[in-house]
Amino acid sequence: MNPVLFYCYDAYCGWCYGFSPVIKKLVDSHPSLQVEVLSGGMIIAEKPVPISATAGYILKAYPTVEEYTGIKFGADYLWHINNPELSDWFPDSEKPAIALCIFKEFYPDRQVEFAGDLQYALHFEGRDLTDDEAYRHLLEKYSIQPEIFYSKLKSEEYKEQAHYEFQLCKQLQVTGYPCVLLQNSETKFTLLARGFTDYETLEARLDTALK
C-alpha cells in the first residue's frame, strides 16, 4: 500500500489552530502523499457545557500557544473567553466534524486546508461552530451549493461518519491533539507528532519514516 498521513485534530483545539500552518506546509511540500484528516471529538457531551467552564483555562493557555506557534487569536474569539458570562457559546465538536466529512467528499485533496479554515473561523473570526450559519462563507469559498451542504449536515449518514472518526482516533491511541501518524503498511503506524511540533522536526521525521 502507498503511505497515508493521518492528521488527527479537533476544530476546538487551540494547539491544532497553531499547528495549522505547519501541517499545511508539510502537505504542500509532499503533493503525492495521501492525507486523511480525522476529527478527534475533543468536546462531545450529552449535555453541552457553556464556554464559561473552560474560559479560565483558555485564558491562561492561549498566550502560550501564540508564543510557541506564532499564530494569533482574534479579538472576536477572545471576547467570548474574556466575557464568558455574556457568551452564548456551548462548544461541541460534533458539527464541525460532520462539516469536515461532507467537505472531504467534495474535495478529498484539500482536507488540511478546510480543517484550517474551520479553525480560523472559530479562533480568529469568532464564529460559533455549533451554528449552521458559521459555515456559509466557506461554501462560497469552495463553491458548494448551500442546500446540498445543509441537507447533508442534518443527515444521520454524515453524523455516523463523524462518530466513526472519533472512534478511529481512539483506536489509533490518540490521547491529545494535534497528532500526526504515517501508515506505511496494513499494520505499521509511525508516530510523527504528538502535540505541537515545528515544521523542520516534522519534515525530518516524515522523511525518515518514508525511507
Side-chain angles (χ1 to χ4, degrees), residues 97 101 185 200:
C101 289
S185 69
E200 286 69 24

Side-chain angles (χ1 to χ4, degrees), residues 118-154:
L118 286 178
Q119 296 194 300
Y120 185 81
L122 170 68
H123 292 104
F124 194 85
E125 297 173 331
R127 297 178 194 265
D128 178 2
L129 296 182
T130 67
D131 178 6
D132 291 359
E133 287 305 309
Y135 304 90
R136 198 170 288 275
H137 69 296
L138 293 176
L139 305 184
E140 287 171 27
K141 177 181 174 181
Y142 291 100
S143 306
I144 296 173
Q145 286 184 318
E147 54 277 13
I148 293 175
F149 175 82
Y150 285 116
S151 74
K152 288 177 189 281
L153 192 66
K154 291 183 168 52

Side-chain angles (χ1 to χ4, degrees), residues 50-161:
I51 190 72
S52 55
T54 49
Y57 166 76
I58 296 169
L59 199 57
K60 288 198 187 80
Y62 92 83
T64 310
V65 177
E66 288 190 336
E67 188 187 336
Y68 268 84
T69 69
I71 205 98
K72 283 279 169 266
F73 288 81
D76 291 337
Y77 169 76
L78 292 175
W79 181 88
H80 292 271
I81 306 308
N82 287 306
N83 303 280
E85 71 289 346
L86 301 174
S87 174
D88 58 355
W89 279 8
F90 283 78
D92 189 328
S93 298
E94 187 181 77
K95 194 166 283 181
I98 296 170
L100 180 66
C101 289
I102 297 165
F103 185 85
K104 289 200 276 197
E105 208 173 66
F106 285 101
Y107 297 105
D109 298 335
R110 295 173 75 183
Q111 299 183 25
V112 168
E113 186 185 346
F114 188 72
D117 284 344
L118 286 178
Q119 296 194 300
Y120 185 81
L122 170 68
H123 292 104
F124 194 85
E125 297 173 331
R127 297 178 194 265
D128 178 2
L129 296 182
T130 67
D131 178 6
D132 291 359
E133 287 305 309
Y135 304 90
R136 198 170 288 275
H137 69 296
L138 293 176
L139 305 184
E140 287 171 27
K141 177 181 174 181
Y142 291 100
S143 306
I144 296 173
Q145 286 184 318
E147 54 277 13
I148 293 175
F149 175 82
Y150 285 116
S151 74
K152 288 177 189 281
L153 192 66
K154 291 183 168 52
S155 83
E156 276 301 309
E157 182 191 344
Y158 294 91
K159 183 177 174 177
E160 282 170 15
Q161 282 182 28

